[in-house]
Amino acid sequence: MIYVVDTETTGLNGCFYGDKIVDIGIVGVDPERKSVIPVYSEIVGYDVSGWPDSQKDAWIFGNSDLTLEQVASGKPLDEVIGDVRLILDGHVAASYNEAFDFSKFLLQRPWSVRCTLAPDIMLRAHRLVDGDFMFEDGSTSWPKLETAYRGLCPEDPAQLNGPQAHRALSDAVVASHIMLALIDRKLYPSEVEE
């Protein structure tokens, strides 16, 4: 089992700079059975009354159905951290852009998750799918999640039926199907030792 994780946050800089995870989704992927099983989804609760406008007006609140009010009444941070550690600690996990989800957030305090990281799904997808931005040298940017999904999973196994929802569980399901498509093409390991 490989756990695929996605987070939605108040910023791009990470915990060290005060950004917060406000939504987290975890999916269990069984590469042998080619199954994608939602395991955990939670809105992380905070006292938002003292947040600066930059966090209250974070990109996620204007580009998904997640609201600041939901975060204010979400499950307390300490409880979500405990849940996430219980699922991930000592196991294999991955994400679509590990440098963001894990390096900037989940491996940092207060999360401090201790898991074995499988290869970054985004970096492996880039072998087959170009990003949206072209550089002068002819290379492209990393592909956005939806771009990689549309390119590698045209049959829409995650049943998006439209644009990406930008919610953590939905995005983790999409990333999981990208992983399975890469495993089928022998571009992603079907097994990672813990």
Side-chain angles (χ1 to χ4, degrees), residues 158-184:
Q159 300 178 343
L160 281 184
N161 301 317
Q164 180 182 350
H166 297 295
R167 289 300 301 273
L169 185 61
S170 173
D171 288 357
V173 167
V174 168
S176 297
H177 284 289
I178 294 170
M179 176 194 282
L180 288 175
L182 292 168
I183 289 171
D184 284 347

Side-chain angles (χ1 to χ4, degrees), residues 11-74:
L12 302 176
N13 296 316
C15 290
F16 184 77
Y17 295 95
D19 295 327
K20 298 178 181 2
I21 293 175
V22 291
D23 186 22
I24 187 163
I26 303 173
V27 172
V29 177
D30 183 336
E32 191 174 303
R33 292 191 174 106
K34 303 211 182 308
S35 64
V36 172
I37 304 157
V39 172
Y40 188 79
S41 178
E42 198 64 63
I43 295 171
V44 186
Y46 297 92
D47 176 359
V48 300
S49 62
W51 279 13
D53 288 344
S54 61
Q55 287 188 324
K56 289 180 179 178
D57 298 330
W59 181 92
I60 191 62
F61 299 127
N63 291 279
S64 75
D65 63 359
L66 183 64
T67 67
L68 188 64
E69 292 75 23
Q70 288 173 307
V71 170
S73 63

